[in-house]
Amino acid sequence: METNDETLRVLRVVEGTSVDGPSLRTSIYVAGCRHACPLCHNPQSWDMNGGERRSIDNLMQVIAYNESPVTLTGGDPLYQPVAVKELVHRIKTELGYNVWCFTGFTWDEIVADPALLDTIREVDVVVEGRFVNSLRDTSLLFRGSSNQRIVDVRSSIDARRLIEWKRDGWESLDDFKI
Ligand code: SF4
């Protein structure tokens, strides 16, 4: 895995989006993914050298300016664990914003790998798992296929088992209205 604690290789930053988690958010599309899910919706994001290097300071300025919760997506942010961990830590300690992270790693893979678990420890919610086209379901909330789960990170670590994130009344996209 690439490790860099000063910069993050980023494809783009989308400010004020509502599709990558609840409420308007700042979404950071992190470059690079090696999961190679068949029929991935975004194969141009796989290049580990794609996008551009952005400093953590620069990303923090954008996030602070928008005064919104944050989503890390990609690509797969967990292929740049050191920089992602630093960014999440700074968001939580300096701004206190809610953070979601989309990853192709499953929750079981994350908890089995101390480096991955350390990376997401301060994330609020992880949306986990590869995209499986045979399980594709466009009605799912924030997921592409039904194998993927929305994980409440703090509760899951404390309970030592996966606890899914639930928001009253938000079980599917049909319920998600802003
Ligand atoms: S994890 Fe996401 S970005 Fe990576 S190959 Fe699978 S669907 Fe594509």
Side-chain angles (χ1 to χ4, degrees), residues 1-2 31-37 45-49 75-76 78-80 105 130:
M1 287 184 183
E2 181 175 337
C33 184
R34 296 196 177 107
H35 295 299
C37 306
S45 71
W46 293 3
D47 183 359
M48 303 301 291
N49 295 309
D76 188 333
L78 298 193
Y79 282 108
Q80 298 184 66
F105 290 98
R130 276 51 142 196

